[in-house]
Amino acid sequence: MNLFAIRAAGIAGILGAICWAIGDVLLVGGTASPDQFPLLLRDYADRIPFKALAWMLPFDEPRLAAGAMIADLSIPLYLAGSWHLYQGVKPAGGILPFAAFLLLFCANAWSPLGHASFYYPAMVYKTIPTLPAAAHPALLTLGAQFSWMQSTAWFLAVIPLGLGMALLCATILARRTRYPRWSAVILNPVAPLLLAAIGAALPPPVGPWVFAAVLNVGFFIVYALSTVLLWNGGRTVAR
């Protein structure tokens, strides 16, 4: 077992979670009311399926682009983090550890599209108020098409991510791994999100920021705990 590689991959996962959380805050960490943007959030509300629009309208294009790109460029950190988690459960043997790794690795590999694609419908809708009314129907149609693509790409990443964490948790509970069994309380798809959601109740601007980044704040908790537990090799595994 290469402890240096496991430690480095765990730290990579922590840094990846930080970068993705920053990307979330830059991209969808705002708030807007119908009174501020009546055309989009009131007049055209029933024609806009993109539910994240109100969180993005206050931001200019450079900020939205930065939020999309910082996450995309840092995805190798999360891919390394997936390998780190796999090393924690690998001694269990059988299909479960590799299945968990495969789901986590693929989900992270697919996630840049799901994240960056928030940018495109937002920019389409933000353009509508600047153009004559005759151009609005075409842009509303284009925005809806981009929104469908965004939601599809996002769920294609998030669903296997949740399944991968569920398998990781099941492996820790069912087999002997390098993790103590109590760690399954945190290394699962639910508990880290619940802990992160507590921060979302804080007053603005911190609350909206944590809400925007709740998934990656959850993974920060996962990778931080896992890195600590595996720093010296984790629990001794019987041979």
Side-chain angles (χ1 to χ4, degrees):
M1 178 176 60
N2 189 328
L3 273 180
F4 176 80
I6 291 175
R7 291 170 179 174
I11 293 171
I14 293 170
L15 294 175
I18 292 172
C19 289
W20 273 68
I22 292 172
D24 286 338
V25 171
L26 291 175
L27 195 63
V28 293
T31 55
S33 68
D35 290 337
Q36 293 173 290
F37 300 92
L39 183 65
L40 296 174
L41 299 182
R42 183 180 298 147
D43 299 350
Y44 288 149
D46 60 342
R47 301 179 63 182
I48 297 178
F50 185 56
K51 303 307 180 186
L53 184 60
W55 307 331
M56 304 176 73
L57 281 175
F59 302 146
D60 58 20
E61 190 278 337
R63 173 169 174 157
L64 295 179
M69 292 305 297
I70 189 173
D72 285 8
L73 294 174
S74 60
I75 195 58
L77 298 171
Y78 260 164
L79 295 175
S82 299
W83 180 85
H84 166 86
L85 295 176
Y86 172 58
Q87 295 307 304
V89 294
K90 185 179 178 182
I95 191 64
L96 285 181
F98 184 74
F101 169 67
L102 188 63
L103 283 167
L104 291 172
F105 189 89
C106 289
N108 281 305
W110 297 333
S111 61
L113 177 60
H115 177 85
S117 60
F118 277 82
Y119 171 89
Y120 300 101
M123 288 307 301
V124 169
Y125 291 127
K126 281 169 66 70
T127 303
I128 288 176
T130 69
L131 297 175
H136 293 182
L139 288 178
L140 288 167
T141 299
L142 181 62
Q145 292 170 338
F146 280 166
S147 179
W148 180 88
M149 185 68 177
Q150 176 276 319
S151 61
T152 301
W154 192 82
F155 280 111
L156 282 175
V158 170
I159 291 174
L161 198 63
L163 291 175
M165 289 303 299
L167 281 182
L168 190 87
C169 177
T171 304
I172 294 170
L173 291 173
R175 307 278 182 84
R176 190 165 181 84
T177 69
R178 293 192 174 103
Y179 295 116
R181 281 198 169 86
W182 64 260
S183 66
V185 174
I186 299 298
L187 301 179
N188 65 70
V190 178
L193 295 182
L194 292 177
L195 291 172
I198 295 172
L202 295 172
V206 177
W209 291 349
V210 176
F211 176 76
V214 64
L215 182 61
N216 293 296
V217 173
F219 269 100
F220 175 85
I221 296 170
V222 165
Y223 282 115
L225 175 62
S226 179
T227 301
V228 170
L229 292 176
L230 301 184
W231 191 259
N232 291 316
R235 184 172 67 168
T236 301
V237 180
R239 295 184 182 276

